[in-house]
Amino acid sequence: MVRVLHAGDFHLDSAFGALTPEQARQRRAESRESVQRLVDWANDHDIQLMLLAGDLFDGAAIGGDTARLLAEALGSFRGQVVIAPGNHDPYTARSAYARTLWPDNVHIFTEDRMQTILFPQYGCAVHGAAFTAPEETEDRVLSGFTAPDDGLVHIGLIHGELTGSESRYRPLTTAAVMASGLHYLALGHVHGCSGVLHAGTVSYGYCGCLEGRGFDELGDKGFLAGEVSPEEAALQFIPFARRRYRIMEVDVTEGDPVETALAAIPQGWSEDVCRIVLTGSPAAPVRPERIETALAGRFYALQVRDK
């Protein structure tokens, strides 16, 4: 049995283009800080193995100290880290992965074929691969792979799209997952947490992203953590986002639209990025900008849309 934390899709140095320039700068800083928060959580919960399933960087154009700060944070983890670079941050000779000095406890897959890293101290082997280009239209890693039956806990770490159909981002099939013989397959690329799923005897899951970056990534974001053994993968979703993206519909047919919107706001949204969608059939035209002004300061950021 090994205690694991499965996270990924940090997308460090994202643009956060829908926010003000100052808010975007702050959100990028908060995203970088979230890695140290993640490591602190892992240390506090006796995690042994951290599985990072790619797209840790949003692209090649990252801040001058972003990779260094990531390396320093991961170096403070008391266990071992394995990274499988994704389509946004493929492993190349000029990538941050190749140009950064990583601590001894960080292991990075560097090829677009299955590689294996043994952790005898945990009775575990991690099998995985890197993206080495922004697109990969064929499954060259999981197809044909089968973990050995040797008494170790066998974990896979892959950034890819389990679609069973064509994809530009390493299409994976359920049949290949079933045939892999893995005890757990840690996947990255999809930004919603799937929880632990099963394909035959193989457990697998998407951890989702650590922080939402837009209104297509709503609600709680975080990671999966727990224990993996040959018998089961007992992992739970841990909400972890510093801020959440939320959408709320408000019917303004009756009464003053501002008062109606105020009354509809739930508790606990003041640190989040919110969009209020106005619905209904009011007698007089409603001015969304009036509601935005009236609700300013009640959220980290607010949009009002007239539907």
Side-chain angles (χ1 to χ4, degrees), residues 48-242:
Q48 297 168 309
L49 191 59
M50 187 178 295
L51 308 168
L52 300 182
D55 282 1
L56 306 188
F57 306 112
D58 193 51
I62 61 173
D65 61 349
T66 298
R68 176 182 61 80
L69 291 173
L70 175 63
E72 289 178 356
L74 296 179
S76 67
F77 176 48
R78 291 196 289 266
Q80 300 292 313
V81 181
V82 187
I83 300 173
N87 59 288
H88 275 260
D89 58 355
Y91 189 95
T92 68
R94 301 186 63 180
S95 67
Y97 292 120
R99 293 184 290 107
T100 301
L101 181 62
W102 297 92
D104 291 341
N105 69 323
V106 175
H107 313 268
I108 303 171
F109 292 122
T110 60
E111 300 182 26
D112 61 349
R113 63 177 183 86
M114 218 61 158
Q115 299 174 280
T116 298
I117 303 172
L118 294 174
F119 297 101
Q121 67 271 44
Y122 305 141
C124 174
V126 179
H127 314 271
F131 268 75
T132 56
E135 295 186 6
E136 185 175 311
T137 58
E138 298 179 2
D139 174 13
R140 297 193 292 270
V141 299
L142 195 59
S143 179
F145 170 84
T146 302
D149 183 9
D150 56 6
L152 296 178
V153 176
H154 288 279
I155 295 174
L157 180 60
I158 297 175
H159 192 91
E161 198 164 18
L162 185 57
T163 63
S165 59
E166 292 184 358
S167 169
R168 294 183 297 160
Y169 308 113
R170 187 176 284 154
L172 306 172
T173 66
T174 302
V177 175
M178 292 177 63
S180 69
L182 294 165
H183 299 121
Y184 180 63
L185 173 59
L187 294 169
H189 185 67
V190 175
H191 288 188
C193 180
S194 68
V196 177
L197 305 173
H198 299 89
T201 62
V202 176
S203 299
Y204 69 95
Y206 281 100
C207 56
C209 56
L210 205 58
E211 292 273 349
R213 298 175 300 145
F215 288 103
D216 56 344
E217 297 174 354
L218 298 174
D220 283 327
K221 300 298 178 184
F223 55 88
L224 290 164
E227 298 175 348
V228 178
S229 70
E231 290 71 39
E232 66 172 337
L235 304 177
Q236 301 295 322
F237 173 68
I238 308 297
F240 203 68
R242 174 68 178 81

Side-chain angles (χ1 to χ4, degrees), residues 250-264 278-279 282-287 290-291 294-295:
V250 177
D251 189 327
V252 293
T253 299
E254 303 291 340
D256 179 72
V258 172
E259 295 301 322
T260 302
L262 278 169
L278 306 177
T279 66
V286 174
R287 294 168 51 210
R290 174 173 172 256
I291 296 176
L295 300 186

